[in-house]
């Protein structure tokens, strides 16, 4: 970052000078402002600004150099001013100029000068650590890490320990980072006041390095040291998707009467991610019983009930969510006031829009189009306009007005390429709902003209090819999806299930579905596919075990159709009828269920 001729020698450009003057003036005001005092305190003494005439001119020159694209000269001028004034704001600005110029060495030099001038500055130490991490100089990070921890007040130390892994997260060798964190925090593991924070921080570092087993052990140790502490529970929740052994840490904590509702809600959402829906329902209901005044759990609960085809419970939960958030808005709360973030929305207003959309969808499914339109009419957000029109189009299609629905979507404004794609997705969904497979296929083909290698579009096109009886084309498209995205579990599953359903290449079908289950080990639909292929292979006992497990996790009508057929084949016809009746009560229009009952000539 070489220095250039100072701006003072070249003449000042008016715009650059004006902007630089504004920046320096703002700095001067900050430097002269006294610390904030309580309202009851006497007026603070006036503090003279550090900005004398030579320093003002120096800063003005530095800012002009920065604005005219001369970062080398700007850096040198501002850093010299920082050293002279020992002002933290100027050291920060020198580092900023160096980083913007991608000059890591100069940024590091500035942070070390900052530390030399202000040895107790925690910000200088944090900045140095972040720069060392970005430059992969972890061998130099131990000293500033130790210094930062020693500077911390005892009451703040655990919080800084918890942040240590974040200081090093940009390093290219996570295992090296984890060893460094472990080495620096070892003394704090041995102190009761900081043991939990240290063990969790080390655990997070090892988790980032891919060693979940070591992270789990540290989480267990931290929880054993303090069963009421929240950090070990948060680490356990992160581990839950890969290490079921982490779950007792969570369940032990949430059984406490003083358990934080936010953690209970996070656990419910983790269970949903694991597709353990009955467990997630139980947990969400427990949160609402314990803290009925909290709004966010009702939004998640309502969404889950609707997804599980339980509209009455879902609508009741969403109505409760709306009542709570609207009450908070009426009292000018500005938030849910509970310390728990909405899952589907970042603010209560967005959460209410999400609830209105879900209530409209539920009313649409029940055929109450007037109620659905009333919910949609509440939404006045340009960012969600396309979602609203898509829901209106779905209602039109359900009433047989498919062409009108398509025109509504096609006329919707497009603010971005994403909107254009969303419109095509919505149009294809309308056509699928109306079982106009060829038209849906053509819409997907149009989308693929713009994005021919989009795995999601190719997958949807393959599903339409299947509906049109084009098995070879479906297989070709799915294999292309797998080629583009080898970790796409749905593509393996769809191909394997299609082969199994047609009774073709059953060994290959089982291998494909097994691969899908490796990629998504908790997916009940993939477990259902594996059960179905085992049934086709004649392995009824194995099929029954898999299908019962899938149905317990997700009582879906299609899974119920398969489970009932295996029970029927085993001579357990009363059980089969019960499963089918439950499924029909939830989703009487499910194609697989309808076809199964018709083929087996079963009347319920």
């Amino acid at each position: 970052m070489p220095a250039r001729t100072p701006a003072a020698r070249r003449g000042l450009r008016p715009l650059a000078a004006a902007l630089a003057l504004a920046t320096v003036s703002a700095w001067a005001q900050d430097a002269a402002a006294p610390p904030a005092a309580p309202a009851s305190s006497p007026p603070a003494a006036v503090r003279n600004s550090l900005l004398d005439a030579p320093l003002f001119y120096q800063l003005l020159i530095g800012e002009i150099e920065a604005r005219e694209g001369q970062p080398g000269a700007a850096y040198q001028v501002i850093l010299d001013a920082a050293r002279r004034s020992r002002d933290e704001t100027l050291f920060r600005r020198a580092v900023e100029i160096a980083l913007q110029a991608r000059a890591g060495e100069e940024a590091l030099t500035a942070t070390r000068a900052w530390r030399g001038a202000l040895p107790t500055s925690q910000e200088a130490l944090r900045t140095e650590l972040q720069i060392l991490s970005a430059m992969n100089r972890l061998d130099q990070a131990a000293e500033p890490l130790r210094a930062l921890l020693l500077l911390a007040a005892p009451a703040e130390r655990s919080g800084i320990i918890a942040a240590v892994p974040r200081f090093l997260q940009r390093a290219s060798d996570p295992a090296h980072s984890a060893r460094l964190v472990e080495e620096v925090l070892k003394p704090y593991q041995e102190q009761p006041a900081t043991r939990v924070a240290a063990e969790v921080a080390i655990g997070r570092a090892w988790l980032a390095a891919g060693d979940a087993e070591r992270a789990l052990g540290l989480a267990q140790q931290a929880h054993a040291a303090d069963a009421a502490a929240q950090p070990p529970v948060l680490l356990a929740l992160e581990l839950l998707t890969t290490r079921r052994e982490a779950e007792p840490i969570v369940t032990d904590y949430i059984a406490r009467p003083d358990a934080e509702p936010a953690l209970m809600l996070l656990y419910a959402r983790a269970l949903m991610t694991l597709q353990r829906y009955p467990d997630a329902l139980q947990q969400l209901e427990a949160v609402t019983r314990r803290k009925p005044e909290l709004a966010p759990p009702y939004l998640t609960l309502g969404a889950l009930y609707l997804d599980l085809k339980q509209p009455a419970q879902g609508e009741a939960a969403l109505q409760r969510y709306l009542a709570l958030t609207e009450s908070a808005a009426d009292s000018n709360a500005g938030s849910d006031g509970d310390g728990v973030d909405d899952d589907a929305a970042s603010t209560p207003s967005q959460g209410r829009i999400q609830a209105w959309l879900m209530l409209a969808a539920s009313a649409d499914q029940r055929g109450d189009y007037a109620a659905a339109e009333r919910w949609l009419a509440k939404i006045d957000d340009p960012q969600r306009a396309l979602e609203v029109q898509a829901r209106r189009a779905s209602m039109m299609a359900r009433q047989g007005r498919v062409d009108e629905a398509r025109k509504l979507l096609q006329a919707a404004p497009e603010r971005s390429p994403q909107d254009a794609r969303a419109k095509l997705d919505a149009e294809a969904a309308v056509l699928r709902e109306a079982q106009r497979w060829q038209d849906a296929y053509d819409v997907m083909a149009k989308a693929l003209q713009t994005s021919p290698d989009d795995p999601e579009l190719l997958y949807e096109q393959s599903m339409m090819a299947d509906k049109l009886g084009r098995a070879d084309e479906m297989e070709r498209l799915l294999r292309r999806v797998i080629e583009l995205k080898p970790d796409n579990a749905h593509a393996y599953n769809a191909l394997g299930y299609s082969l199994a359903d047609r009774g073709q290449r059953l060994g290959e079908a089982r291998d494909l579905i097994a691969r899908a289950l490796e990629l998504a080990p908790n997916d009940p639909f993939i477990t259902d596919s594996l059960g179905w292929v085992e049934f086709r292979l004649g392995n009824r006992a194995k099929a029954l075990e898999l299908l019962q497990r899938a149905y317990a996790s997700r009582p879906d009508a299609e899974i119920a159709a398969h489970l009932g057929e295996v029970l029927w084949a085993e001579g357990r016809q009363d059980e089969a009828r019960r499963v089918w009746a439950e499924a029909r009560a939830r989703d009487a229009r499910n194609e697989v269920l309808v076809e199964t009952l018709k083929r087996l000539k079963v009347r319920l």
Side-chain angles (χ1 to χ4, degrees):
M1 192 170 64
R4 301 289 180 88
T5 305
R9 298 180 187 175
R10 294 183 279 105
L12 305 184
R13 295 184 182 177
L15 179 59
L19 292 171
L21 182 59
T23 302
V24 175
S25 298
W27 176 84
Q29 291 173 10
D30 289 343
S40 59
S41 300
V46 175
R47 186 175 67 175
N48 291 328
S49 171
L50 298 173
L51 195 63
D52 57 18
L55 181 58
F56 180 90
Y57 183 72
Q58 186 174 8
L59 295 178
L60 184 62
I61 293 298
E63 289 299 333
I64 291 171
E65 294 287 0
R67 293 185 183 279
E68 292 205 332
Q70 305 296 332
Y75 166 82
Q76 291 177 3
V77 170
I78 298 296
L79 180 58
D80 180 66
R83 284 174 167 143
R84 286 178 52 214
S85 63
R86 301 168 64 86
D87 184 84
E88 197 147 32
T89 303
L90 295 182
F91 280 114
R92 190 184 303 118
R93 177 64 177 141
V95 172
E96 181 183 289
I97 291 169
L99 291 176
Q100 288 173 347
R102 300 183 181 277
E105 290 293 347
E106 284 80 0
L108 192 57
T109 297
T111 57
R112 287 173 172 168
W114 186 354
R115 283 187 61 190
L118 300 164
T120 60
S121 171
Q122 292 187 22
E123 185 181 355
L125 284 162
R126 290 191 182 97
T127 305
E128 182 178 0
L129 285 168
Q130 290 164 350
I131 293 170
L132 288 170
S133 172
M135 296 175 71
N136 289 309
R137 294 191 182 178
L138 295 185
D139 54 322
Q140 300 175 35
E143 182 274 326
L145 260 181
R146 291 191 176 97
L148 180 62
L149 292 166
L150 286 172
L151 275 175
E156 299 172 350
R157 189 164 288 136
S158 289
I160 293 176
I161 288 171
V164 165
R166 293 200 299 273
F167 296 145
L168 307 176
Q169 64 186 359
R170 296 177 62 189
S172 61
D173 186 351
H176 189 179
S177 295
R179 288 192 293 272
L180 174 62
V181 171
E182 192 166 49
E183 174 193 341
V184 170
L185 295 185
K186 186 174 179 56
Y188 298 97
Q189 273 185 282
E190 298 164 0
Q191 299 175 22
T194 54
R195 178 181 175 184
V196 169
E199 288 180 336
V200 170
I202 297 167
R204 287 193 181 283
W206 280 116
L207 181 58
D211 193 338
E213 197 64 36
R214 194 177 301 194
L216 173 63
L218 287 156
Q220 290 168 333
Q221 289 172 208
H223 181 66
D226 184 356
Q230 296 179 24
V233 183
L234 288 167
L235 178 56
L237 285 168
E238 290 184 46
L239 287 160
L240 200 53
T241 54
T242 57
R243 288 290 185 277
R244 287 289 296 273
E245 305 95 318
E247 193 162 9
I249 297 173
V250 183
T251 54
D252 183 54
Y253 171 82
I254 64 173
R256 299 175 57 88
D258 59 346
E260 178 60 44
L263 293 187
M264 298 174 70
L265 186 54
L266 286 173
Y267 178 43
R269 291 171 181 166
L271 292 169
M272 291 170 66
T273 300
L274 292 167
Q275 302 203 45
R276 291 169 51 188
Y277 298 109
D279 292 339
L281 272 179
Q282 183 179 9
Q283 188 57 219
L284 286 165
E285 287 167 348
V287 177
T288 59
R289 283 194 301 271
R290 185 175 296 191
K291 290 285 185 178
E293 72 279 8
L294 299 186
Y298 289 100
L299 183 64
T300 308
L301 184 61
L304 184 53
Y305 269 130
L306 293 182
D307 194 42
L308 294 175
K309 309 295 185 185
Q310 299 182 50
Q313 297 93 321
E315 291 187 19
L318 293 172
Q319 294 272 20
R320 177 63 177 158
Y321 172 80
L322 289 171
L324 288 168
T325 55
E326 286 165 3
S327 173
D330 289 342
S331 60
N332 297 316
S335 71
D336 288 320
D338 46 43
V340 183
D341 291 332
D342 288 343
D343 187 31
S346 58
T347 65
S349 62
Q350 287 300 310
R352 287 193 289 276
I353 290 174
Q354 195 67 26
W356 292 331
L357 284 166
M358 286 190 284
L359 284 163
S362 184
D364 179 13
Q365 291 289 329
R366 290 189 285 103
D368 189 347
Y369 305 120
E373 180 55 42
R374 284 196 297 273
W375 291 119
L376 293 176
K378 290 177 174 289
I379 302 171
D380 184 19
D381 182 349
Q383 300 298 320
R384 312 297 289 269
L386 188 54
E387 287 179 80
V388 173
Q389 293 297 71
R391 177 48 52 196
R392 287 196 173 106
S394 175
M395 287 194 294
M396 289 177 180
R398 204 178 290 277
Q399 297 171 74
R401 300 155 57 193
V402 178
D403 292 335
E404 189 179 344
R406 296 182 72 180
K407 288 178 183 177
L408 179 69
L409 289 168
Q410 291 164 0
E414 297 174 13
R415 296 185 304 273
S416 68
Q418 291 75 21
D419 282 351
R421 163 71 179 274
K423 284 171 60 175
L424 290 171
D425 287 344
E427 187 176 355
V430 161
L431 293 164
R432 287 196 300 270
E433 177 73 22
Q435 298 189 4
R436 288 172 52 170
W437 312 122
Q438 183 62 56
D439 288 339
Y441 179 93
D442 293 342
V443 169
M444 286 291 100
K446 181 180 178 182
L448 280 165
Q449 289 176 359
T450 306
S451 306
D453 287 332
D454 186 310
E456 292 182 11
L457 291 175
L458 288 165
Y459 180 86
E460 291 299 327
Q461 185 78 318
S462 74
M463 296 298 98
M464 294 306 97
D466 181 46
K467 293 294 186 182
L468 291 167
R470 302 173 188 172
D472 291 344
E473 182 179 1
M474 183 200 71
E475 181 169 347
R476 176 182 62 78
L477 290 166
L478 286 174
R479 291 197 184 279
R480 178 60 177 154
V481 173
I482 291 169
E483 179 184 351
L484 292 168
K485 196 173 181 183
D487 62 347
N488 190 315
H490 297 299
Y492 287 100
N493 180 58
L495 182 53
Y497 177 80
S498 175
L499 292 172
D501 205 42
R502 297 196 305 273
Q504 298 175 355
R505 292 146 51 196
L506 294 177
E508 182 184 354
R510 179 164 56 184
D511 291 343
L512 286 163
I513 296 168
R515 174 59 179 151
L517 207 54
E518 288 176 9
L519 293 166
N522 299 296
D523 192 312
F525 291 110
I526 300 176
T527 304
D528 165 67
S529 296
L530 189 58
W532 191 237
V533 77
E534 292 290 356
F535 176 61
R536 292 286 186 155
L537 285 163
N539 303 324
R540 290 183 182 176
K542 182 65 174 175
L544 192 58
E545 175 197 339
L546 290 165
L547 291 168
Q548 286 174 329
R549 188 196 315 163
Y551 189 62
S553 176
R554 177 81 178 230
D556 179 81
E558 185 168 335
I559 299 174
H562 294 150
L563 174 57
E565 184 160 350
V566 175
L567 290 167
W568 190 268
E570 288 284 280
R572 297 161 62 176
Q573 297 185 350
D574 289 343
E575 291 179 67
R577 288 179 184 277
R578 178 182 55 77
V579 169
W580 285 330
E582 289 175 357
R584 192 170 68 172
R586 288 194 181 94
D587 188 2
R589 301 173 60 198
N590 182 271
E591 291 178 35
V592 176
L593 178 62
V594 170
E595 186 277 331
T596 299
L597 295 175
K598 182 178 179 181
R599 175 167 44 81
L600 297 177
K601 300 179 181 178
V602 176
R603 296 175 65 89
L604 298 179

